[in-house]
Amino acid sequence: MSPPVVSSDLGIRPPPILELVGLRKSFGKQEILRGIDLRVWPGELVCVIGPSGSGKSTMLRCCNRLEEASGGQIVAGGIEITRAGADVNRVRQRVGMVFQQFNLYPHLTALGNVTLALRKVQGKSRAEAERLGLAALERVGLAEKAAAYPGQLSGGQQQRVGIARAIVLEPQIVLFDEPTSALDPELVGEVLRVMAELRAGGMTMLVVTHEMGFARDAADRVVFMDAGAIVEEGPPAVLFAAPCQDRTRAFLARHNRAA
């Protein structure tokens, strides 16, 4: 694992919020992740791009134990979350998740969805949970929709409720699994704006996305994955303008033609 940090005053980088070391995942004989090494630093927004089926979403799901890794280690906030006996509820409070398909409970209001884990996992009173939940909805611009049910909300509003649900637990990092792919094109912008605002506020984020404009404009670093491996990574200005690897160049060329 990473060596201890002596002092930030000496200019030494703080330890990563999230560290993947040799992460592997197989389903039966099919190897999906082939030894992923990745670090995400405090306050960083890392976008992961790549073709469908390259293992991007599986990697994210391993990071909060929705999928169990077949090998390697994942360390979040200095705690190895892949070790036997790790507290999964604690893991998911450290590592928030925003899903592609929203995953809201239809019988609960927006506020009810946001406060559920506060009450059931953290044991907070209804009054305290609702205070924190309303603050989270305010951060995503939906305080006025607190009493609305998911069926009464647009797709973009539902996804913003999903973001509020993730951030209300004050995680150390939030994972976004293609958060705009289920949205109509006219609704994509409102979700990306909220994500950009969270990033500006210093939130650490790991984002799987097909939104190349967002990756280019908002990310600190872009990671290109293909066939279960990281092919290359770097600042967006470098990776998009002058990728080093043939696979990256081919992927970006296909995307540019499609756009």
Side-chain angles (χ1 to χ4, degrees):
M1 297 296 94
S2 301
V5 175
V6 177
S7 171
S8 58
D9 295 334
L10 300 179
I12 300 174
R13 200 172 199 179
I17 289 288
L18 182 68
E19 185 171 14
L20 282 57
V21 181
L23 179 65
R24 294 184 176 274
K25 176 63 180 178
S26 297
F27 294 102
K29 294 182 179 180
Q30 185 179 12
E31 190 174 30
I32 305 299
L33 300 177
R34 306 170 185 269
I36 299 291
D37 294 320
L38 178 66
R39 292 177 174 181
V40 181
W41 306 97
E44 192 177 29
L45 191 164
V46 177
C47 282
V48 183
I49 64 173
S52 297
S54 58
K56 307 182 300 297
S57 293
T58 299
M59 179 183 71
L60 283 198
R61 291 174 68 84
C62 287
C63 288
N64 75 344
R65 298 281 302 272
L66 286 171
E67 297 285 357
E68 296 295 336
S70 302
Q73 295 176 314
I74 302 172
V75 178
I79 304 297
E80 184 187 343
I81 68 174
T82 42
R83 65 175 174 80
D87 185 338
V88 175
N89 281 333
R90 188 178 180 197
V91 167
R92 291 174 185 161
Q93 291 177 68
R94 289 173 176 267
V95 184
M97 183 87 172
V98 177
F99 299 91
Q100 181 177 350
Q101 298 292 341
F102 319 143
N103 286 11
L104 300 179
Y105 289 104
H107 64 287
L108 295 179
T109 63
L111 183 60
N113 272 280
V114 172
T115 59
L116 186 63
L118 289 171
R119 298 180 60 204
K120 299 298 185 182
V121 177
Q122 293 191 347
K124 296 190 182 298
S125 68
R126 180 182 293 274
E128 176 67 1
E130 290 187 351
R131 182 184 70 80
L132 294 170
L134 285 170
L137 287 170
E138 179 70 34
R139 288 181 70 184
V140 301
L142 282 179
E144 77 283 359
K145 296 292 187 179
Y149 289 88
Q152 299 170 317
L153 302 174
S154 70
Q157 290 171 333
Q158 289 185 61
Q159 190 59 291
R160 285 191 280 157
V161 172
I163 294 172
R165 178 180 58 190
I167 66 175
V168 76
L169 296 173
E170 298 186 352
Q172 295 174 319
I173 183 172
V174 179
L175 314 175
F176 291 79
D177 186 11
E178 299 189 14
T180 61
S181 64
L183 299 178
D184 292 333
E186 66 271 17
L187 300 177
V188 169
E190 66 183 77
V191 172
L192 295 181
R193 280 193 297 274
V194 167
M195 293 171 63
E197 290 167 3
L198 294 174
R199 186 261 176 276
M203 181 167 289
T204 307
M205 303 161 70
L206 180 60
V207 182
V208 168
T209 185
H210 285 108
E211 299 291 338
M212 297 299 151
F214 177 78
R216 184 183 294 108
D217 296 340
D220 297 292
R221 183 159 42 105
V222 178
V223 173
F224 173 67
M225 283 184 66
D226 191 20
I230 292 176
V231 176
E232 69 176 297
E233 60 181 287
V238 174
L239 189 136
F240 283 106
C244 296
Q245 301 299 319
D246 289 342
R247 281 189 286 173
T248 315
R249 285 193 288 269
F251 171 79
L252 292 174
R254 288 194 302 273
H255 183 272
N256 289 336
R257 286 196 299 271

